[in-house]
Structures are given as structure tokens and as C-alpha cells.
Amino acid sequence: MVGIGLEKQTLEIKRSVSGQYFQKDLLLEMHAHLRLKIQTLTAPSQLAKIDHTASPLPLPHQSSIASDVSAHDTASAPVLPLLRWEHPVRSSD
Amino acid sequence: MIGRLIHLQGSQRQSLNTRVTRQSSFTEVVPARPGEILDRNGHVLAMTVTRESLYLVPAEIEDPTNVVWQICSVLNVNADELYERLTKNPERQFIWVQRRLSSDDAALIRQLGLPERTWGFRREYLRQYPQGAYAAHLLGLRDIDNFGHGGLEQSLDDLIRGRDGTRVMTRDARGIVIEVEAARSETPQHGQTVISTLDVLTQVQSERELDRLVHRWQPQGATVIVMEPHTGEVLAMASRPGFDPNLPSEVPSNAWRNLAVSAVFEPGSTFKPFVVAWAIQHGHLKPDDVIPCFNGAYRMGRRILHDHHAYSQLSVENVLVKSSNIGMARIGERLGVQGLHRATAAFGFGTRTGIELPGEIDGLVRPKADWDEYSIGSIPMGHELAVTPLQLITAHAALANGGRLVRPHLLLGSSSDQTVPTPLSGVETVAATPTLESQIVHPDIADWLVRHPMKGVVERGTGKSARVDGLSIFGKTGTAQKPDPETGGYSDSKHFCSFVCGAPAENPQVLVLVMVDEPTAAGSHYGGTVAGPTASKILEFAVQRLPHISGRMTIRPEHDLPASRL
């Protein structure tokens, strides 16, 4: 019984560690998305437009850049599976 | 019962063990994150984010029609094709529907409420280029499988791509992961970060000016290179037609080619300073010599050379300022075939520069055995050989930096004072290859050429259109007729127009080359008129940027990357 208890505790700790790694991955990705957004908005091409037109800050027009983390994503973040891995039997939603 | 147990534990032990391991343990690839490409000031030129890719599980889908209908109401997917794939492979556990969805599309898919077990998302990396179409030819792009194509993405692919890792996991009978076997897993080696020599602002300005030139002259192609002559660092490089690496499916077929390294053209008069430098270096000419020019017509073997204007004689300086073909031919006669061929090789023509870009070509310099008397008249005025724009500006950099031929490069030296990526200390950067250089002409000769004849070209010669008030510019125009395949000779209407210039003439810090392939709009197609104004505008901007280019590299805090690595 003690052995089983220890085994369960070990498994729980491993799950916790894995979960934290996964959270770190998520934070890294969020960082990357925000970094991309910053770089896109502050790209010299954008700043040069502002400089030339001397108009209020224009909305970024870089349609070719894929949209980043939306408010929707952060507000209603889905339950994410363990270790970024998604098995059919445990689909993300 | 006992017999059965012995049977299972004994004779079938190995096969059952294997079966259990196969059912409970599986390995997934953990992709390496490709490294970033930064400009010299830390602006991101290329980076990687994740996107969700949608897959379906046909074996679990009971109503394919409904699933297809729902998905196609959200995504731009061919419904017939998807339905066919589902119904033709009903036993499969996995098919892709669409990869790298936008965040909004992924959210819409979630809202559909598709049956569990029938679908899922996998996260995949997506390469993004925040500067849009700028520097596209230098960067190249990364395909859906993370392989680089063109530019730095291709030439440094092994370093930028990194090495995928693996994760070995154990799952229970329901398929839920219960353990990650760390001992058998392998951590991915993420790609290295590349700090390039580019200055994004100079790049943007160069491309804008190039676009204006293309709009005005409607050429077949055009290219611009901005270089720091002392180190060979490329500050900007652009080619037209161009493309947006964020939209790889929309790249025109003729836009892939980076003309700066893969186009060859006869340099025309931009080649003349090298011949003069070599002739002075080897004692065949003195700067104060006077060259007879025969009033604009000079018979040389079986042909007669002409100048645009008739001169009875010209100083060496004025031979370059007035771009006299006859004067150059006379200098060529002093050098002979041997001297001309050596000069051509010494300035790096006929061999690749070795810049970190794929697709660079050698140019066309025929073997010396094929050179004849005709060559003595043609080579000094930049005919009978073809060079790449990068070779040409590299050779001019040798004159601008005191006679040293340096290797042009795109990677910022990690040992340089300019590279102090403190916030990026956790990120491994690609080391720059060492810069090779050789002294090909004496510094005094190079300085004289830059400060007198080439400065005179802009002040009172063929490059007057490039003058900028308050800036001491030197330069050389080049106009070469294109070969006409129909006649086998040179075309009278198709030209390569080029202009190379630098500043300040007393201590050159920046060089700019603009090359235009076959302008078609109405007007005089001379290098000075077509390429000159564009080159001088770019040069003026680049000179203003000098404090930011040559100063210590600073990276703003928001450009930081997390130091921790998986």
C-alpha cells in the first residue's frame, strides 16, 4: 500500500512538472506572439508612414502578417491538453 | 490455470512485453523552434510563432456530411475534396484539414462544437516576417515543413532550423498520457539567432527609392546594394521584381531571383577606375599623365573607337571624369592582355564573393587565352566581361577603403564591438565567418582615384545628376548596351544602366550601387540619368544613418527573448 501511495505521489509530481513545462511553453508562445505584434506595429515601414504623413497613428496595414493572439484567445483560453499533445480521444474542447 | 500462467509468463513473455510497450508507449517529435533573424539594431526580420493546425479522425466520425459542412462554413476548404478524403479513408486515425490556422479561425472551429474524438488541433510553427516585403531576397522564406528557401533562410538553414527533439510517453488503456519518459526523450535544439549587418531603415529607404525608379523607368529588373566599404558589411540590398515572404503562394515566378548576386551585366564605364588603378599601381601610368584621345575617333586594329565628345587629349583624371573610351583604350594598350587580365582577377571579377547568400554566380570572365587585341580595347571600358552587382560594388569598396579587397558579408561579427546582445545572452547566435581581405592597390592610389577623378565625375562629369548639396560624393556612371541575340551584336535600344557612388569622398563610409536592367520608359538611358538620382538619394539617407550604423549596437528591452530554453 505504501508503495502504491508513493507511486501515485510520484506520478502526481510528474504530472505537475509536465504541466509547468507546458505552461512555460504557452508563455513562450504568448511572448512570441506579442513580440511579433510589437515588431509589426513598430516596423520602420510603419513608422516611416507616420513620419511622411504626419497624421495620427494609422492602423497597421500588414495584411500579410497573420493575426496574433486575439482577445478571444486570452479571454476564453481553452483547456489545453498535457504536453502540447492532443490525442483524438481527448480533443482540446 | 497454472499452466496458462506459465505459458504466458514463459514462452509468450517476450512477445507480450513487446506488445504492451507498443500499445502503451509512443514517441512524438518535438519540433525545434527556428531561430530569429535580426538587423544590426535588433529589429526582427524573421521570427517564429505557433499556429494551430486542424485534423480529423475519420474512424470516429459517424456523419461525415455534417462535419464537412460545419468545417467548410468556417474555413476556406474544398468541401467535395474533404468529404472524399473522409469517406475514402474511413478507418484512418488522422487526416489534415488545414494547417496553421489564424487565431480567429481556430476559435471559430472550437465554437462549432464538433463531436469529441473526431477532431483536434496540433500546434505548428509558422514563420513570420514583420517587415513585410522588405529585404525579401535577403531573407528568403521557410516552407510549411520548415525548410529554408532562398536568402539567409536557405544558406544558414542548418543553423536557423535547429534540431528536432523527441518525447517518449506512456499512456494508459484509455489513451491518456500518464508519464513522459525523460530518460528516453531528447530535448530539441532550437535554431540559432542570426544578427545580420542590415540596417532596416536603410533597407526600407533603399527599396522605396528603387520602387520609384522602377515606376519611372519601367525596367526589366533593378537592384540596389548599400555597403560599408571598410568591412564589407552589406547595409541594404534589394532586387526588383520583389515578393512578400509572408505570402509564399503569391510570389511571381520571376521574383525569386536576387539580381544583386545572380544577374550578370557588362559593367561599362564603372569598370574603368580599376584599370586606371592597376595601371598606376604597376607603373604603366602616372596620375599626371596626359592621354591623347585623337579628337573622338581612334582606330584600334580592325575597329574604330569613338567618344561621346571629341577630345584631343585628356589628363588621366579627365579620362575618368569624361568617361573617355579612347583614353581608356590607350591605357589598356599600356597594360596589355596580361595586365588587364590580372587587374580583372585582382579586383575579384570572375569569382564569387562568398557572401552568405545562395545562388551567387561567378560572373563571366573568359580565360586569358581567349583574350586578343580586341580585348585590349574592350576590357578597359567594361566590355567583354560580365559581373554581378555585388562583385562590382565590392571592387569599388576596395578603392573606397584604401585598396583592400574585402569579402562582403551579411552576418555581423560576433566579436565586433557592435554586437553586444546583452538581452539576448540566452540565445545562441550564429557566428560570422572571418573577413578575408587583401591589399590590391596602394592606399595613395585608391585615395587619389576616389578624391579626384571619381569625385570629379559627380562634380563636373557624367554623374552630375547625383550631386547633393553639402555632401562630398564620388562615383562612376556606367551605361552598357545589352547583347542582342537576334543580331548577335549589341542592341542600340537596350541598356544596363548603373551608378556607383559613395560619401564622404575624403573618408568614404558608405557605398551605394544601383543597377537597372533595360529601362523601357522614354528618356535618355544613361547610368547618370537613370540610376544616378536614386543612388544619391539612398546615399544621402545612409550617410544620415551613419551614427546608428557604426555606433554600438543597442537592443531595446522589448526585443528581449526569454533566456530560458527547453
Side-chain angles (χ1 to χ4, degrees):
Chain A
M1 292 296 286
V2 171
I4 291 172
L6 287 173
E7 187 70 28
K8 277 191 167 182
Q9 203 171 346
T10 305
L11 199 57
E12 198 58 41
I13 291 170
K14 281 183 177 176
R15 279 182 177 280
S16 173
V17 170
S18 294
Q20 287 178 21
Y21 267 111
F22 180 60
Q23 288 298 324
K24 190 186 82 171
D25 282 351
L26 283 186
L27 289 173
L28 278 171
E29 294 312 325
M30 197 174 290
H31 174 91
H33 281 284
L34 291 172
R35 179 171 160 79
L36 175 62
K37 185 172 271 186
I38 289 169
Q39 290 294 325
T40 307
L41 291 173
T42 61
S45 52
Q46 299 290 338
L47 299 177
K49 277 181 197 168
I50 298 169
D51 186 36
H52 279 293
T53 57
S55 59
L57 186 69
L59 288 173
H61 180 65
Q62 295 241 351
S63 58
S64 58
I65 302 288
S67 61
D68 297 313
V69 179
S70 64
H72 175 89
D73 288 346
T74 50
S76 59
V79 179
L80 290 159
L82 185 65
L83 292 172
R84 205 196 289 172
W85 171 76
E86 296 183 28
H87 189 267
V89 297
R90 290 192 73 216
S91 65
S92 56
D93 277 345
Chain B
M1 174 80 87
I2 292 170
R4 177 64 175 157
L5 281 173
I6 292 170
H7 179 246
L8 290 175
Q9 291 285 342
S11 63
Q12 288 199 316
R13 179 176 183 177
Q14 189 62 39
S15 63
L16 288 175
N17 250 338
T18 308
R19 199 167 156 190
V20 166
T21 305
R22 193 174 62 236
Q23 286 181 352
S24 64
S25 176
F26 72 102
T27 303
E28 76 166 10
V29 174
V30 183
R33 173 188 284 276
E36 297 188 340
I37 303 177
L38 311 176
D39 89 332
R40 63 190 305 130
N41 292 311
H43 291 286
V44 176
L45 303 174
M47 66 177 295
T48 302
V49 294
T50 52
R51 286 283 184 270
E52 288 174 309
S53 297
L54 175 65
Y55 66 85
L56 290 177
V57 187
E60 301 284 344
I61 296 176
E62 294 176 355
D63 184 2
T65 309
N66 184 44
V67 170
V68 170
W69 182 82
Q70 288 195 73
I71 290 174
C72 292
S73 67
V74 173
L75 301 180
N76 184 22
V77 175
N78 187 319
D80 293 336
E81 188 186 328
L82 179 59
Y83 181 79
E84 191 178 332
R85 288 169 62 205
L86 283 177
T87 52
K88 276 192 173 178
N89 306 287
E91 75 292 343
R92 287 186 64 177
Q93 294 288 327
F94 185 96
I95 62 166
W96 283 123
V97 177
Q98 197 169 66
R99 298 174 74 176
R100 297 178 171 92
L101 302 178
S102 69
S103 304
D104 293 338
D105 283 346
L108 289 172
I109 289 291
R110 286 195 175 91
Q111 289 170 359
L112 289 176
L114 293 170
E116 280 193 14
R117 303 186 180 196
T118 63
W119 67 284
F121 282 129
R122 279 191 183 223
R123 287 179 173 263
E124 292 190 294
Y125 287 129
L126 173 67
R127 197 68 161 167
Q128 292 279 270
Y129 302 88
Q131 311 298 333
Y134 293 114
H137 288 99
L138 289 175
L139 299 174
L141 50 80
R142 212 151 265 282
D143 66 15
I144 200 164
D145 294 317
N146 194 25
F147 286 100
H149 296 280
L152 291 172
E153 294 275 32
Q154 180 178 335
S155 60
L156 303 175
D157 189 37
D158 290 343
L159 300 168
I160 294 175
R161 179 151 46 103
R163 203 179 70 213
D164 292 346
T166 54
R167 187 181 285 141
V168 182
M169 289 177 280
T170 307
R171 58 190 171 195
D172 63 13
R174 291 172 297 170
I176 297 173
V177 175
I178 57 172
E179 186 179 4
V180 178
E181 297 182 39
R184 293 170 59 197
S185 301
E186 190 180 349
T187 307
Q189 302 294 314
H190 296 300
Q192 298 180 39
T193 294
V194 175
I195 301 176
S196 74
T197 57
L198 292 186
D199 175 57
V200 162
L201 278 170
T202 307
Q203 180 74 30
V204 169
Q205 185 69 13
S206 300
E207 299 212 26
R208 288 184 166 189
E209 293 297 340
L210 197 61
D211 285 335
R212 289 192 188 103
L213 182 150
V214 169
H215 179 72
R216 163 67 181 86
W217 293 100
Q218 303 292 316
Q220 297 293 325
T223 186
V224 59
I225 304 173
V226 184
M227 182 184 283
E228 202 283 297
H230 296 275
T231 60
E233 291 175 358
V234 175
L235 303 175
M237 180 187 283
S239 181
R240 291 291 179 274
F243 63 92
D244 186 344
N246 291 301
L247 303 170
S249 60
E250 297 177 15
V251 180
S253 59
N254 64 342
W256 289 105
R257 194 169 168 220
N258 182 0
L259 299 181
V261 295
S262 67
V264 289
F265 68 107
E266 287 192 336
S269 299
T270 51
F271 190 80
K272 291 173 180 173
F274 311 129
V275 176
V276 173
W278 195 255
I280 297 174
Q281 170 77 17
H282 291 275
H284 298 289
L285 190 70
K286 291 176 183 169
D288 54 0
D289 279 356
V290 173
I291 310 294
C293 291
F294 305 97
N295 293 311
Y298 175 57
R299 174 171 288 281
M300 197 174 181
R302 60 185 186 275
R303 65 172 170 172
I304 298 176
L305 295 179
H306 295 279
D307 276 336
H308 287 294
H309 302 284
Y311 305 106
S312 59
Q313 60 181 27
L314 288 171
S315 65
V316 175
E317 180 176 338
N318 279 335
V319 166
L320 289 174
V321 170
K322 305 296 181 187
S323 205
S324 165
N325 291 334
I326 295 174
M328 288 306 302
R330 295 284 294 171
I331 295 171
E333 285 176 332
R334 297 189 187 189
L335 279 169
V337 167
Q338 180 86 0
L340 287 171
H341 196 269
R342 282 187 179 171
T344 304
F347 279 93
F349 298 109
T351 54
R352 273 169 262 191
T353 64
I355 195 170
E356 305 91 340
L357 286 176
E360 186 185 15
I361 56 177
D362 289 329
L364 297 169
V365 177
R366 294 185 302 152
K368 193 176 73 176
D370 294 343
W371 290 27
D372 54 18
E373 293 299 312
Y374 204 91
S375 307
I376 292 177
S378 299
I379 294 290
M381 51 184 174
H383 290 173
E384 267 194 43
L385 79 167
V387 305
T388 66
L390 185 65
Q391 284 175 334
L392 185 61
I393 193 171
T394 302
H396 274 283
L399 296 181
N401 68 20
R404 290 177 298 113
L405 188 68
V406 296
R407 189 181 69 83
H409 56 276
L410 279 166
L411 290 185
L412 202 60
S414 56
S415 60
S416 161
D417 285 344
Q418 294 178 328
T419 312
V420 190
T422 309
L424 297 171
S425 55
V427 178
E428 194 177 352
T429 55
V430 175
T433 45
T435 302
L436 301 174
E437 57 183 54
S438 57
Q439 190 78 37
I440 48 177
V441 292
H442 194 277
D444 292 342
I445 297 171
D447 291 346
W448 177 81
L449 273 163
V450 165
R451 294 173 190 174
H452 296 280
M454 293 182 70
K455 189 177 175 187
V457 167
V458 176
E459 289 182 345
R460 56 193 173 86
T462 52
K464 282 188 283 192
S465 61
R467 278 187 298 192
V468 174
D469 288 340
L471 195 58
S472 169
I473 298 179
F474 64 96
K476 191 72 193 80
T477 59
T479 310
Q481 295 167 296
K482 287 183 75 172
D484 189 343
E486 291 181 4
T487 63
Y490 285 105
S491 167
D492 290 329
S493 58
K494 299 175 181 176
H495 299 89
F496 284 113
C497 305
S498 54
F499 187 72
V500 59
C501 59
E506 293 71 28
N507 180 23
Q509 298 296 311
V510 187
L511 269 185
V512 176
L513 169 69
V514 173
M515 193 280 286
V516 185
D517 177 11
E518 199 180 323
T520 58
S524 57
H525 295 168
Y526 291 111
T529 53
V530 176
T534 301
S536 70
K537 283 176 188 167
I538 295 170
L539 180 66
E540 187 179 8
F541 182 88
V543 168
Q544 290 171 0
R545 287 285 301 161
L546 273 177
H548 306 279
I549 291 170
S550 58
R552 176 173 281 267
M553 179 182 178
T554 55
I555 298 177
R556 294 186 300 243
E558 64 265 30
H559 295 156
D560 187 6
L561 269 181
S564 61
R565 305 184 63 186
L566 291 177

